[in-house]
Amino acid sequence: MQVKSDIKRQAILETAYRLFRTQGFDKTSMTEITTQVGGSKATVYSHFPSKEELFVECMMAALENYMSGTLKHLDSSRTDPRIALLNFGSSVLNFICSPEQLEVRRLIIAEAARSGTGKLFFDKITALRARLSGFLAACMASGSLRRADPDLAAEQLGAMLEAEMLEPLLLQVREGSPDERETARAARRAVDAFLRAYAPTSRQGLQH
């Protein structure tokens, strides 16, 4: 029964994702989603209590699936955190700068003011960022980075990775997505700036 339920849930997510992307939030109804998936509206609501929650879940599903692989770069056993952060940063940029994810980001921003939607997105993103925060905390504990608030450091690194190219892409100032060489260079500049800002102090270095 659980397998059948999981398959149904995935079908709802995939259908809703397609409809939300092509029609937007307002023009997509739970009735239309139910009709295309099959079954009853009660079944859809048993998986997703509201249209807003379904919207957040299907918009975040691709990010969560992708990030499960990207977060593997943050292996705290690595001796060089720079390599881990470069691989992580390049992977993140390749994903968020893709045409599909740019479209999703615009949808998320457009619907953020809708009842509770913005907070739901924020909570999801915060949960993913906790993995990066944990990695940075381990680096701070080992002396690879200076001691500071790892949650704030994770937010700052995320902002630095996005700073160079995301806004021009979102606003369609730039045409065409960057290739992997360009995202790797942008990740390197962001990570190196971050590591300079969080370089261990001489006193902290002596303690290790």
Side-chain angles (χ1 to χ4, degrees):
M1 288 295 292
Q2 183 61 45
V3 172
K4 189 174 181 179
S5 178
D6 289 345
I7 292 172
K8 190 68 170 183
R9 186 179 190 277
Q10 186 60 35
I12 295 168
L13 283 172
E14 290 174 0
T15 300
Y17 181 71
R18 175 174 50 80
L19 291 173
F20 282 133
R21 283 187 61 208
T22 56
Q23 300 179 167
F25 184 90
D26 285 327
K27 292 182 180 179
T28 300
S29 68
M30 295 295 267
T31 299
E32 182 178 12
I33 293 168
T34 302
T35 299
Q36 294 204 17
V37 172
S40 69
K41 193 181 290 187
T43 300
V44 175
Y45 277 111
S46 72
H47 288 280
F48 305 98
S50 69
K51 181 179 166 182
E52 287 78 11
E53 289 187 53
L54 173 55
F55 176 72
V56 171
E57 287 291 333
C58 67
M59 291 296 120
M60 291 298 296
L63 174 62
E64 291 173 337
N65 290 337
Y66 184 84
M67 289 302 289
S68 64
T70 297
L71 289 167
K72 291 178 182 178
H73 294 299
L74 303 179
D75 180 359
S76 59
S77 67
R78 288 178 181 270
T79 56
D80 185 357
R82 180 175 182 270
I83 300 300
L85 290 176
L86 285 175
N87 291 334
F88 169 80
S90 295
S91 185
V92 167
L93 283 178
N94 287 331
F95 180 69
I96 67 173
C97 291
S98 67
E100 179 177 331
Q101 285 305 305
L102 289 168
E103 181 183 312
V104 167
R105 179 74 69 102
R106 293 188 191 103
L107 268 174
I108 290 172
I109 293 169
E111 300 301 333
R114 196 175 295 276
S115 178
T117 303
K119 185 180 184 306
L120 288 171
F121 278 122
F122 185 81
D123 290 345
K124 287 276 189 181
I125 293 167
T126 299
L128 287 173
R129 191 174 288 151
R131 290 281 301 278
L132 174 58
S133 176
F135 173 80
L136 296 176
C139 291
M140 292 171 184
S142 70
S144 300
L145 300 175
R146 67 174 173 82
R147 290 190 177 88
D149 181 343
D151 293 334
L152 177 58
E155 291 179 6
Q156 291 172 334
L157 177 57
M160 293 170 81
L161 285 168
E162 293 184 356
E164 189 171 329
M165 57 181 60
L166 184 61
E167 189 172 63
L169 287 166
L170 280 174
L171 298 177
Q172 297 182 317
V173 174
R174 166 181 172 148
E175 294 183 4
S177 299
D179 60 25
E180 291 189 2
R181 289 177 299 177
E182 188 174 358
T183 54
R185 289 194 296 268
R188 184 176 66 249
R189 288 188 285 267
V191 168
D192 286 346
F194 174 81
L195 291 177
R196 286 193 296 271
Y198 280 90
T201 62
S202 57
R203 179 177 295 181
Q204 182 178 336
L206 290 173
Q207 292 174 348
H208 292 270

